[in-house]
Amino acid sequence: MFLQELFSDPQGPLKNEKISGLAQGLRSFSCMEFGLSHRVAAERLLQEGYNDLPQGKRRGFWVLLVEILREPMVFLLLACGLIYFLLGDRSEALFLMGFLILMIGITLIQNQRAEHALESLRKLSSPRALVIREGEAIRIPGREVVRGDLILASEGDRIAADGVLQGKSLLSVDESLITGESVPVNKSERATKVFAGTTVVSGQGFIQVTAIGSHTEMGKIGISLEFQTRVTSRLQKETRRWVSRLVWISGSLCVLVILIEGVFRGHLINGLLLGLSLAMAILPNEIPAVLTIFFSLGAARMSKKNVLTRRISAIESLGSATVLCVDKTGTLTLNQMQVQSLWTEGSTLELNLDLESGVPEQFHEVLEYGMMACREVPFDPMERAFHRVGEKYLKQTEHLHHDWILKREYPLTPQLMATAHAWIPEESALNFNIAAKGAPEAIVDLCHLEASARERIAEVVSQFADQGLRVLGIAKGLHETGVLPERQHDIKFEFVGLVGLSDPLRPGVRDAVQECAEAGVRVVMLTGDHPETAKRIAEQVGLKNPNEVITGTELEHMERESFMNCVREKNVFSRVTPQLKLKLVEAFQTQGEIVAMTGDGVNDVPALKKADIGIAMGLRGSDVARESAALVLLDDDFASIVEALKMGRRIYFNLKNAFLYLLAIHIPIAGISILPVFLGMPIILLPIHIAFLHLVIEPACSMVFESEAPHPELMKCPPRSPGVPLLGRNQELFTVIARGFLILIALMAIYFEVMHRGGGELEARALCFATLMIANLLLVRDRTVVLGTLLLMSLVFYVPNLREWFRFSFLHLWDVFWCALIGGISVLSVNIFTSLGKRLKVRKGN
């Protein structure tokens, strides 16, 4: 029987991304083969390469290396090394060059790690293809399609390669990317050629691949489909402003130092070295790299949580989301639909038990026309449910029509929430048998029923919906001329019956909704189902005010003020069309909300693009929806959205901590570099010391802070306001600045004390550097960094040659104790004062 094996599994055929038994379905398309064998496909992939279109240049090893060599810090170290070399101090010059090579190596490894993460995301994000291999349908990345493959293309798919239609395929394709023609082209036996990169607007069909990659029409004209649109995010703009300001500040101070030391004191070479050292101390060389690494590795972490990031800039928006608009089917539920109830005039049949005796004859027509209103090779779970039950209970009857020919599909529209398929028994037939399915009120409208019949049907619909079932109406029609009408309303339909489908909730969805509520994120359900069905599901998942359900019809007839009030207060919207989704997103945004919205179909694309965070479904979502969204749920699970929100908050929180750390540590580094110059005293930090500090600081940011575990209370805080700067004027910023200045004060106190008692430049530098390094380790608080840094410090202070190169004195055990004590006090005293201040406020409040 047609697709009997394919739809025998109640869990649905998409389990493990493989669909079995499709060979029988191919027969209805008159295909001569059941696709390539796995062996042949593997051989062709090896021989002819991947189905990749011409792409923009990827940032390979040499590109990354050149970008690193352009960094100001590299030029500053090179300049310092050159000056030392000209002065005859070759050991100092070589040592600086060694540090420079080490810094370049570490940065290169980090950037390659980030680039590999992005490349993995590009591969995940590429268009997919459903290919037939040895009679099985397997969903694979589009780049793995080979010449000769048989592809099943459906509405919303981006065609992966050039090919020709097979069998009775009926497609409408948007070829504007190739031809510039904006009107979709109808493909049939007379126009069988299809092209890579074009989009299926409607219909379904099999495509035999004839050309891949650069051999396709798109490849020949050099069109490239990039993985993501490179958009400069708000955070990137903010950090660029910070960096540009600090560059101007450091440049001005460098010139000032060179003038003071070189012109007024007559030490030009020394002035150049001091100026370059100061620039190295002040320049926030780590900020751009840290931002890139955090977002790239954060996106990779999110992919492990089944959330694919198509636009990196969306990560910073996640922590600001205040409204999450989700569909019911497949997101809150498992999308494992089963036909549970049938109704014809005066009779109801429950299919939740295995009916050994079969389905009574009076219900055969409901199943027959329900199947005919579905695709021949369906992948929508609802249509698969129709085929499963039809194949089971209508076998060996006259109600299955595998040899009939589909001539036209009438798609669902905002004005009529119903679809219809027109069939003929043979090619020469003039009479069309038409089957329609859709929202019961739409089917009733098509059938032009009297008021009494409408009331009876409405009662049954309400009973089904009250059980949490999705209810569809079924109708049949007969058109006796050779030309089909343009509208469904021009067809004479007869009402057949109702079908109730069940779809269990996803495990853990209620807890995930509760977690959103605690995080200050309002969950709103937008569904096309009946109001009673929406109400029952809303109660089960724990939405706020589940009984207050608003229908799409009610929304369309509201005045603007009432509409905005409804959007502000209600959380459950039923009978919502894609056009209404767009209107609701705009309304939420008008009220200042940051909106995340899910979608899967072609019609959802405008709303996905309009939302602050568009989220496409990875399993049931079309390629067009995936390409329009910022995020893709690889498992369609609502809990994955919550994980994405949590991950977005974590990334932003850790990034803020990294920037605050950079600010805190750069204050004492810059201060201890510039103050001795103005005071006319010996210099503390030379280029070699600042290079050593950068070896510790940059990995600490990109490795320690990036991988820091989320705060336990992270999802109990309200969403972050998108307009608030990363480093705004708040108590946390002032605390960090105070900590940085306290470290600086401690360093200067050590410096003055040593110089006052005649300890000398080498001792002052050794004690100040050791104290600064210990304070830095207390700011980082990572075991690996602490142990690695202490090992390096031990080598620097206790290996004679290294100590001489760094121009340190020997550090005694008593010195180490005092450095640790002073460094600890300078870092921890701010925390102590902050805690005391909070306690005093609490006492005053009581």
Side-chain angles (χ1 to χ4, degrees):
M1 305 301 291
F2 175 58
L3 298 181
Q4 182 175 4
E5 294 179 26
L6 174 60
F7 303 111
S8 60
D9 180 6
Q11 301 301 315
L14 286 176
K15 186 176 181 181
N16 296 326
E17 290 296 314
K18 182 175 283 192
I19 307 169
S20 303
L22 194 60
Q24 298 183 51
L26 301 183
R27 188 179 59 199
S28 69
F29 281 84
S30 302
C31 292
M32 299 297 293
E33 302 176 5
F34 297 147
L36 298 177
S37 68
H38 295 297
R39 180 183 61 81
V40 170
E43 288 176 354
R44 289 190 181 176
L45 185 64
L46 185 64
Q47 293 168 0
E48 303 179 10
Y50 286 102
N51 177 35
D52 285 328
L53 294 172
Q55 297 288 324
K57 290 183 178 179
R58 299 291 181 224
R59 300 200 311 163
F61 175 85
W62 295 109
V63 174
L64 291 173
L65 181 59
V66 170
E67 289 183 0
I68 294 169
L69 293 177
R70 290 175 180 172
E71 291 291 332
M73 186 64 66
V74 173
F75 288 110
L76 292 172
L77 278 171
L78 281 173
C80 290
L82 180 61
I83 291 173
Y84 278 120
F85 186 80
L86 293 175
L87 291 174
D89 194 345
R90 295 187 178 182
S91 61
E92 190 82 17
L94 290 173
F95 210 70
L96 275 179
M97 292 304 99
F99 268 122
L100 177 59
I101 293 171
L102 192 56
M103 285 178 59
I104 290 173
I106 292 173
T107 307
L108 187 60
I109 291 171
Q110 291 171 341
N111 287 358
Q112 279 191 307
R113 184 182 171 203
E115 193 63 25
H116 288 159
L118 283 177
E119 186 63 30
S120 298
L121 294 177
R122 289 187 187 102
K123 291 177 181 178
L124 277 174
S125 185
S126 66
R128 307 159 301 169
L130 194 64
V131 299
I132 313 303
R133 300 270 174 88
E134 297 180 359
E136 295 178 334
I138 306 173
R139 197 176 297 280
I140 63 171
R143 67 192 303 266
E144 295 179 9
V145 168
V146 299
R147 185 175 50 82
D149 256 330
L150 197 61
I151 298 175
L152 175 58
S154 301
E155 178 181 315
D157 287 350
R158 187 175 293 281
I159 297 173
D162 285 3
V164 292
L165 292 183
Q166 300 293 307
K168 299 177 295 182
S169 300
L170 187 64
L171 293 176
S172 179
V173 181
D174 177 5
E175 296 183 343
S176 57
L177 194 63
I178 298 288
T179 64
E181 179 59 51
S182 59
V183 178
V185 179
N186 291 321
K187 299 287 183 177
S188 61
E189 289 83 354
R190 297 177 182 176
T192 60
K193 185 73 175 176
V194 291
F195 305 103
T198 59
T199 305
V200 180
V201 177
S202 63
Q204 187 183 55
F206 284 96
I207 300 169
Q208 191 90 39
V209 175
T210 57
I212 63 169
S214 58
H215 298 289
T216 63
E217 290 301 313
M218 181 174 287
K220 291 175 184 177
I221 61 178
I223 297 178
S224 172
L225 292 178
E226 287 294 337
F227 150 71
Q228 65 180 22
T229 305
R230 294 189 179 272
V231 179
T232 303
S233 69
R234 181 193 61 80
L235 193 54
Q236 288 172 318
K237 293 176 182 176
E238 181 185 342
T239 53
R240 285 178 184 176
R241 286 195 299 269
W242 272 86
V243 171
S244 61
R245 290 170 186 170
L246 289 171
V247 167
W248 279 104
I249 293 171
S250 64
S252 302
L253 288 173
C254 287
V255 173
L256 184 60
V257 166
I258 293 171
L259 287 174
I260 293 173
E261 192 70 17
V263 177
F264 297 112
R265 296 176 184 166
H267 304 134
L268 182 59
I269 299 298
N270 194 43
L272 286 171
L273 281 173
L274 291 176
L276 293 171
S277 299
L278 183 59
M280 292 168 60
I282 297 177
L283 273 179
N285 189 65
E286 307 89 354
I287 288 180
V290 165
L291 194 62
T292 300
I293 289 169
F294 266 63
F295 280 169
S296 301
L297 297 185
R301 289 181 191 277
M302 288 176 65
S303 69
K304 294 177 182 177
K305 299 287 186 180
N306 292 315
V307 180
L308 172 64
T309 308
R310 286 189 53 84
R311 282 189 283 279
I312 299 297
S313 58
I315 292 176
E316 70 179 80
S317 302
L318 282 169
S320 300
T322 57
V323 171
L324 177 54
C325 298
V326 297
D327 191 12
K328 173 188 75 70
T329 304
T331 309
L332 299 176
T333 63
L334 286 171
N335 207 20
Q336 295 176 359
M337 288 194 170
Q338 298 184 55
V339 175
Q340 181 170 317
S341 302
L342 303 175
W343 181 86
T344 59
E345 187 64 46
S347 301
T348 303
L349 180 67
E350 295 294 326
L351 294 178
N352 53 345
L353 298 177
D354 190 13
L355 300 175
E356 296 295 338
S357 58
V359 171
E361 178 68 30
Q362 67 189 100
F363 295 100
H364 283 189
E365 205 170 49
V366 180
L367 295 179
E368 175 188 4
Y369 282 92
M371 284 185 67
M372 289 173 61
C374 298
R375 292 241 170 102
E376 287 184 275
V377 185
F379 291 92
D380 180 273
M382 178 185 65
E383 295 194 344
R384 297 205 305 270
F386 271 101
H387 273 271
R388 279 198 303 271
V389 72
E391 291 290 346
K392 181 174 182 178
Y393 293 116
L394 297 182
K395 59 184 177 182
Q396 297 178 353
T397 72
E398 73 280 7
H399 298 289
L400 290 179
H401 310 291
H402 298 318
D403 53 346
W404 284 19
I405 302 169
L406 177 65
K407 298 301 291 183
R408 178 161 183 175
E409 296 183 13
Y410 291 90
L412 181 143
T413 66
Q415 296 76 30
L416 185 67
M417 297 183 68
T419 62
H421 288 177
W423 302 82
I424 54 175
E426 55 187 20
E427 196 62 53
S428 59
L430 297 178
N431 296 337
F432 295 91
N433 289 274
I434 304 170
K437 74 175 189 307
E441 55 268 32
I443 297 298
V444 164
D445 183 42
L446 281 176
C447 296
H448 306 292
L449 297 180
E450 297 179 354
S452 58
R454 289 172 180 259
E455 289 176 5
R456 286 196 308 274
I457 293 170
E459 285 183 18
V460 179
V461 169
S462 182
Q463 291 171 11
F464 280 9
D466 194 48
Q467 301 173 41
L469 302 180
R470 181 173 186 177
V471 190
L472 294 178
I474 307 296
K476 65 178 181 179
L478 183 66
H479 195 74
E480 297 180 348
T481 67
V483 180
L484 285 166
E486 288 301 315
R487 303 188 315 146
Q488 294 187 60
H489 271 293
D490 296 330
I491 301 170
K492 186 177 181 180
F493 279 106
E494 178 184 341
F495 188 82
V496 176
L498 298 171
V499 178
L501 298 104
S502 62
D503 188 9
L505 288 181
R506 285 187 178 274
V509 70
R510 188 178 181 90
D511 293 337
V513 169
Q514 179 61 32
E515 192 171 6
C516 282
E518 292 176 353
V521 180
R522 175 182 164 200
V523 180
V524 177
M525 185 169 74
L526 310 180
T527 179
D529 282 340
H530 189 275
E532 290 297 324
T533 305
K535 172 184 171 182
R536 175 58 63 90
I537 298 298
E539 289 174 346
Q540 292 175 357
V541 301
L543 291 186
K544 188 177 180 181
N545 303 324
N547 296 327
E548 301 176 10
V549 182
I550 302 297
T551 67
T553 304
E554 292 172 328
L555 285 174
E556 288 174 342
H557 291 89
M558 283 183 181
E559 298 292 335
R560 176 170 175 78
E561 185 176 351
S562 299
F563 182 90
M564 297 303 287
N565 288 335
C566 182
V567 168
R568 189 178 295 109
E569 298 170 1
K570 310 301 181 185
N571 297 312
V572 186
F573 298 88
S574 68
R575 295 302 191 215
V576 176
T577 63
Q579 286 71 21
L580 264 178
K581 286 184 180 181
L582 175 60
K583 191 174 179 181
L584 285 167
V585 168
E586 291 174 340
F588 282 124
Q589 291 174 330
T590 301
Q591 295 175 356
E593 306 284 4
I594 306 298
V595 183
M597 199 210 78
T598 65
D600 56 7
V602 177
N603 293 332
D604 289 332
V605 168
L608 286 173
K609 288 183 175 179
K610 182 64 178 175
D612 299 280
I613 310 164
I615 306 173
M617 301 295 104
L619 294 180
R620 71 179 190 275
S622 63
D623 284 339
V624 176
R626 286 163 53 97
E627 291 165 9
S628 301
L631 303 175
V632 178
L633 290 187
L634 299 178
D635 58 358
D636 293 6
D637 192 346
F638 178 80
S640 295
I641 304 178
V642 181
E643 285 295 326
L645 293 174
K646 188 186 300 183
M647 188 68 70
R649 290 190 176 192
R650 171 191 169 180
I651 293 168
Y652 196 90
F653 182 79
N654 289 352
L655 185 63
K656 183 176 182 178
N657 285 342
F659 280 7
L660 290 172
Y661 158 72
L662 286 175
L663 178 61
I665 197 60
H666 271 282
I667 289 174
I669 293 174
I672 201 67
S673 299
I674 195 171
L675 285 178
V677 177
F678 290 123
L679 296 173
M681 301 177 71
I683 303 304
I684 297 296
L685 295 183
L686 299 173
I688 193 171
H689 306 122
I690 297 173
F692 184 92
L693 284 165
H694 277 280
L695 283 177
V696 177
I697 292 171
E698 190 163 333
C701 287
S702 55
M703 294 168 61
V704 176
F705 286 99
E706 190 280 327
S707 60
E708 196 169 23
H711 192 277
E713 301 295 314
L714 192 63
M715 287 299 283
K716 294 184 179 178
C717 301
R720 171 181 50 82
S721 175
V724 175
L726 181 70
L727 301 179
R729 296 180 180 178
N730 52 35
Q731 183 179 352
E732 193 174 33
L733 178 62
F734 289 123
T735 300
V736 168
I737 293 174
R739 184 177 288 120
F741 276 105
L742 277 176
I743 297 172
L744 175 59
I745 291 169
L747 297 178
M748 292 306 298
I750 293 172
Y751 179 70
F752 285 127
E753 192 276 331
V754 173
M755 298 305 291
H756 178 71
R757 62 178 169 81
E761 178 183 336
L762 298 184
E763 183 181 352
R765 180 177 293 121
L767 291 173
C768 287
F769 189 81
T771 304
L772 178 59
M773 291 302 301
I774 290 171
N776 178 66
L777 295 180
L778 290 173
L779 290 173
V780 176
R781 292 173 300 174
D782 178 78
R783 182 182 303 174
T784 304
V785 173
V786 169
L787 292 175
T789 305
L790 289 177
L791 176 61
L792 289 175
M793 287 176 64
S794 299
L795 294 173
V796 165
F797 281 109
Y798 299 111
V799 175
N801 288 340
L802 289 177
R803 187 169 65 246
E804 183 180 346
W805 276 334
F806 275 84
R807 301 182 187 179
F808 290 153
S809 67
F810 185 83
L811 205 62
H812 297 87
L813 186 60
W814 185 249
D815 296 327
V816 174
F817 169 77
W818 279 109
C819 290
L821 180 63
I822 295 171
I825 291 173
S826 65
V827 171
L828 301 177
S829 56
V830 175
N831 294 352
I832 295 170
F833 289 133
T834 304
S835 300
L836 289 175
K838 288 180 179 179
R839 289 182 182 180
L840 288 174
K841 284 184 180 180
V842 172
R843 288 180 182 178
K844 288 180 180 179
N846 292 337

